[in-house]
Amino acid sequence: MKVFVIGNVALDETLSIEDFPRPGASIFGAALSRDLGGKGANQAVAMGRTGLACIFVSAVGQGPRGQEVAQRLAQEPLEAELVALEGVATDISIVLMSGRGENAIITTREAASALTPEAAAAALARGMAGDLLVLQGNLNAAATLAALRTARAAGMRTAFNPSPLQPYFGTLWPLVDTVFLNEGEAEALGGVESLLAQGVGEIVLTLGAQGAELIRATERTRVPAHPCAVVDTTGAGDCFMAVALASAALRGTRLDARALEHAARAAAHTVGRAGTVAAFPNRAEMAAILAT
């Protein structure tokens, strides 16, 4: 089985601040890290580290930032297919980390939104029945729909993280098997019952310190969060989604309580360290988590 992750990649610049600024304020900060990021890359890296065969497709610019992204991805256990676009800047994220461990993230999406529907569909040329497509909310509507329709025609399963929220998401639900989202996103999209009624097969609702819930039309499974000391929450949700999907895929089963428990352990590991993918469990740590 293969997983295809089509999404954004960025270089994350994390700054430590005492508290978030008010409009018009100038504050001091300290540089914490420069790391690979972007929701698509985060999920692909985490999946690759579980041992699942992962192909990551993303758009970058042709300048030094795009080259740095390629070099960093080459160090990860995945196959990166980067589409280098002329006249487009590689995306970046500015992560503001407060003294309380909370973060605010500003992400550009010039490269991600420029990925064409043709490129998104072509990325799945090797996709087969039983493979998995993973998407997030950074692509444009046409590219997202093209990927989902191509995957559905090939008999692939589809998983979607509707973040950042975009107006076109309502057209996607009949093509999505699994949705991962938090409480705020669920509310903005009309609630989990509405999503199920519109064709989504199952939903994983993340609840922060309260854990997560797997929701299907006829059943709900609640899993508690794994205890941890919070240092940096950046990327924890992406790691959770990736590990949950990988756990089930590697065991040849549907999402279940064990998959969410594995994901909770991986996410707890992530928030206990600074950085984005640098904070994710490495391959040995992932193996230990998945063995539980």
Side-chain angles (χ1 to χ4, degrees):
M1 177 196 169
K2 304 180 296 297
V3 57
F4 295 81
V5 180
I6 306 178
N8 69 322
V9 63
L11 290 174
D12 284 1
E13 296 277 1
T14 302
L15 304 176
S16 173
I17 58 175
E18 184 175 338
D19 205 349
F20 297 110
R22 294 182 177 182
S26 295
I27 63 173
F28 290 111
L32 282 182
S33 64
R34 180 181 176 91
D35 198 2
L36 191 66
K39 295 185 72 64
N42 291 347
Q43 294 172 15
V45 168
M47 283 192 163
R49 291 182 184 180
T50 68
L52 196 62
C54 181
I55 298 95
F56 174 52
V57 180
S58 188
V60 296
Q62 295 182 333
R65 287 209 304 257
Q67 295 169 7
E68 182 178 349
V69 164
Q71 291 167 359
R72 289 176 179 266
L73 286 171
Q75 300 172 25
E76 296 294 340
L78 53 76
E79 181 180 341
E81 296 183 359
L82 298 179
V83 181
L85 302 174
E86 186 176 355
V88 171
T90 299
D91 292 324
I92 61 170
S93 294
I94 304 299
V95 183
L96 302 179
M97 180 62 55
S98 78
R100 299 187 299 275
E102 299 171 327
N103 64 22
I105 304 173
I106 306 166
T107 300
T108 68
R109 60 184 293 263
E110 181 180 355
S113 63
L115 188 73
T116 66
E118 293 77 16
L124 300 175
R126 291 181 286 160
M128 302 173 61
D131 288 344
L132 173 66
L133 168 66
V134 177
L135 295 168
Q136 316 80 36
N138 287 286
L139 303 182
N140 63 65
T144 303
L145 278 167
L148 286 170
R149 287 169 176 161
T150 302
R152 184 55 56 92
M156 299 171 63
R157 291 190 57 79
T158 58
F160 183 55
N161 174 210
S163 176
L165 291 167
Q166 294 203 58
Y168 70 82
F169 288 168
T171 64
L172 307 179
W173 306 133
L175 299 170
V176 177
D177 293 309
T178 307
V179 169
F180 281 75
L181 75 178
N182 61 31
E183 291 179 283
E185 291 158 352
E187 181 178 357
L189 294 169
V192 296
E193 299 299 334
S194 174
L195 294 178
L196 291 171
Q198 292 178 74
V200 172
E202 60 189 3
I203 295 168
V204 177
L205 181 65
T206 56
L207 305 167
Q210 303 306 311
E213 191 170 15
L214 174 60
I215 303 169
R216 298 189 178 105
T218 58
E219 62 178 311
R220 287 180 176 241
T221 303
R222 186 76 168 264
V223 172
H226 193 73
C228 62
V230 177
V231 174
D232 183 351
T233 60
T234 310
D238 296 327
C239 183
F240 182 97
M241 175 177 175
V243 174
L245 289 169
S247 170
L250 290 167
R251 292 182 288 115
T253 186
R254 302 173 70 191
L255 281 173
D256 56 11
R258 187 178 179 192
L260 267 61
E261 289 164 359
H262 287 159
R265 289 175 62 87
H269 190 292
T270 298
V271 302
R273 298 196 291 203
T276 312
V277 300
F280 292 173
N282 59 32
R283 295 196 71 175
E285 291 165 336
M286 282 290 194
I289 289 169
L290 294 171
T292 59

